[in-house]
Amino acid sequence: MRAISGLWRWRHNPLCRGTDLAEAWVAFVALLLVLVAAPAAGVLAGGAAQDALQRSVRAQHHSRHLVTATVVRRLEALPMDADPEISTGGDLRHRVLARWTAPDGTERSGPVPARLPDPRPGDEFRMWTDGHGRIVARPLDTATATTHAVLAGVGTTLATAALVEGLRRLTVWRMVLRRYARWDRAWDKAGPDWGRTGTGN
């Protein structure tokens, strides 16, 4: 910001070097990119992610079905596989042998995790299957998909801003190196005579 404010003050300043103006212009362009290009990139990335995730939500809800299963007998208990959408932190899933009817009408049975506090034979619970009755994960919901899309947009915005700032720093660093190189060359020319009384007489 100091370089940008200096850009206005130094426009006609006779002490202003060309490199000072160049650095100020680089900072000004970088600021514009951070304020305009980075949010635009975030919006585009978030919108693309939202479209893709919502298509996935629709596809999963079309292909996955919530069915009712009946406990045949309890098996050994398993710790809950963390489900970020419905996890309560203290819930446990128990492994049970269950039977259920698939959406295509076939009878199925097998060991499944059941979110029941104390599963007993005959208890019923709901679980997700595909069209043939195979157990599948819970489908992604709209709110979670939107959250992921927003995070993708924010991440893209921050990454773009960081890239712009990195390029600005790299550009200024190279400009400073060139300035130092010019100073070294000027010093090499003036150095042997520097400080000698009567030099040039």
Side-chain angles (χ1 to χ4, degrees), residues 38-60:
V43 168
L44 291 174
Q50 175 76 340
D51 290 343
L53 287 169
Q54 293 301 333
R55 282 196 302 271
S56 179
V57 166
R58 289 190 294 272
Q60 288 183 12

Side-chain angles (χ1 to χ4, degrees), residues 181-191:
R182 285 196 300 272
W183 285 354
D184 287 341
R185 288 193 297 272
W187 181 258
D188 287 342
K189 291 178 182 178

Side-chain angles (χ1 to χ4, degrees), residues 108-125:
R108 294 275 185 164
S109 65
V112 297
R115 184 167 275 119
L116 293 171
D118 184 23
R120 298 177 182 278
D123 288 348
E124 293 184 341
F125 61 96

